[in-house]
Amino acid sequence: MSQIIYLNGRFLPIEQAYVPVLDRGFIFGDGVYEVIPVYSKRAFRLREHLARLEHSLAGLRMENPRSPDEWEKLVEKLIRTNESEDQSIYLQVTRGPAPRDHAFPKHAVPTVFMMSNPLVTPSPAQVAQGVSAVSATDIRWDRCDIKAIALLPNVLLRQMAVDAGAAETILFRDGILTEGSASNIFAVENGVILAPPKDRHMLPGITYDVVLELAKTNGIPFEIGYFAEARIRNADELWITSSTREILAIVTLDSKPVGDGKPGPVFHRMYRLYQDYKNEVMRHG
Ligand SMILES: Cc1ncc(COP(=O)(O)O)c(C=O)c1O
């Protein structure tokens, strides 16, 4: 069966879906997106993803083209239309097609696109053994809190990891940890989880929020703050979090072991808590 996607009010096979070449998403990267994991055909934290979409659209000074109710119905229909139990919904809104000019067009109609792919979470081996990471200077702009489709710096930074055979590139801005090229980063120091604050230099991750909520409800101490590169390099544990990678331990950074070079005890605990939480709210209602 062909993959069914949603484009501008219609559900149709992906091969039949086209966007005009003058779409501002294509010309300027003028748009925003969301990635929503789906477990047992239920969208995880949908309201939170839609709230972040609203924030991103506001950052671009764009009206939301759909109401929360309409989004929920569309996402549910897309999930039903696709076979997999566990899916990854990609949702994108651009400012739409218009004659090429940097300034906002007066009458453009936003392009709304959604697709679903089977959700691929990390393998049991990756979870058990952890992954490697490299580091780089954060070369992005000052509004990383907007989930913008203009991802060229993230693309270049992520490729550095791939070229080094690593899973992620950890970013430092002026010597301070921000996040990963496509993930949030946590550290652990003497049993305390360290997390950068949700400011304009990182994307406010939905998984990041879940991790801190779980830490709070389970009495695991955490500290939100600005952490210098040297402190991060000397941390006992480092983790990646994102909707599709969930929580993964980083066991080497720039080829040097993190802590004792194995996923640490706080990671194991948080990984279990995350899986239990997911099963509780998603699989069993
Ligand atoms: C730059 C960046 N930071 C953080 C995240 C994690 O966000 P979430 O947990 O909502 O997937 C992502 C997700 O793709 C990302 O691209």
Side-chain angles (χ1 to χ4, degrees):
M1 197 177 84
S2 158
Q3 187 184 3
I4 302 295
I5 63 97
Y6 172 87
L7 181 64
N8 296 333
R10 292 171 63 209
F11 286 86
L12 69 169
I14 194 160
E15 301 79 25
Q16 293 171 25
Y18 291 95
V19 175
V21 286
L22 284 181
D23 192 282
R24 289 176 63 97
F26 183 54
I27 298 287
F28 293 117
D30 188 358
V32 298
Y33 75 108
E34 275 298 322
V35 176
I36 309 163
V38 171
Y39 302 103
S40 304
K41 298 233 165 193
R42 288 201 199 138
F44 185 62
R45 297 233 156 177
L46 182 56
R47 291 223 172 101
E48 289 82 351
H49 279 281
L50 293 177
R52 186 171 65 186
L53 175 70
E54 188 77 43
H55 171 83
S56 297
L57 286 165
L60 265 61
R61 293 165 57 190
M62 276 183 71
E63 295 266 332
N64 195 331
R66 305 283 184 274
S67 70
D69 253 23
E70 287 170 332
W71 279 121
E72 281 187 30
K73 288 204 177 83
L74 288 173
V75 168
E76 273 165 27
K77 182 157 179 201
L78 186 66
I79 293 171
R80 280 202 309 277
T81 311
N82 285 278
E83 275 169 10
S84 307
E85 285 289 303
D86 293 357
Q87 306 177 17
S88 166
I89 301 286
Y90 177 88
L91 178 169
Q92 174 173 315
V93 179
T94 76
R95 209 181 300 272
R100 188 183 181 282
D101 180 14
H102 289 59
F104 298 167
K106 286 216 167 60
H107 303 295
V109 176
T111 299
V112 180
F113 166 57
M114 284 199 295
M115 66 177 164
S116 168
N117 287 294
L119 179 65
V120 182
T121 50
S123 66
Q126 280 180 313
V127 174
Q129 288 153 26
V131 296
S132 54
V134 294
S135 69
T137 299
D138 196 340
I139 53 170
R140 301 172 304 159
W141 68 333
D142 258 321
R143 288 306 307 275
C144 299
D145 57 312
I146 297 173
K147 203 163 167 63
I149 60 168
L151 284 171
L152 186 53
N154 303 65
V155 166
L156 295 172
L157 291 163
R158 182 67 203 287
Q159 188 59 35
M160 288 172 65
V162 172
D163 291 345
E168 183 55 301
T169 305
I170 298 185
L171 308 177
F172 295 100
R173 188 186 286 254
D174 300 325
I176 302 291
L177 172 69
T178 55
E179 59 178 338
S181 68
S183 62
N184 290 116
I185 303 291
F186 290 87
V188 177
E189 200 181 58
N190 303 320
V192 179
I193 300 172
L194 310 181
K198 291 199 284 182
D199 64 10
R200 289 185 168 200
H201 290 160
M202 73 166 227
L203 184 79
I206 306 298
T207 322
Y208 169 102
D209 282 344
V210 176
V211 165
L212 291 184
E213 278 171 36
L214 289 172
K216 207 176 211 168
T217 47
N218 290 279
I220 307 172
F222 64 90
E223 186 186 331
I224 295 173
Y226 294 103
F227 301 106
E229 190 168 334
R231 211 165 149 190
I232 295 303
R233 290 188 186 281
N234 286 319
D236 304 321
E237 301 184 24
L238 291 177
W239 314 338
I240 294 170
T241 69
S242 84
S243 291
T244 50
R245 293 173 138 192
E246 302 187 331
I247 308 177
L248 270 181
I250 298 169
V251 291
T252 66
L253 176 57
D254 296 330
S255 306
K256 296 199 184 74
V258 175
D260 63 4
K262 293 199 291 267
V266 188
F267 165 76
H268 285 300
R269 182 152 181 228
M270 184 53 75
Y271 181 80
R272 197 64 263 149
L273 288 170
Y274 190 83
Q275 296 305 324
D276 289 349
Y277 173 78
K278 221 175 70 183
N279 287 336
E280 202 179 294
V281 297
M282 304 310 289
R283 313 263 187 220
H284 309 297

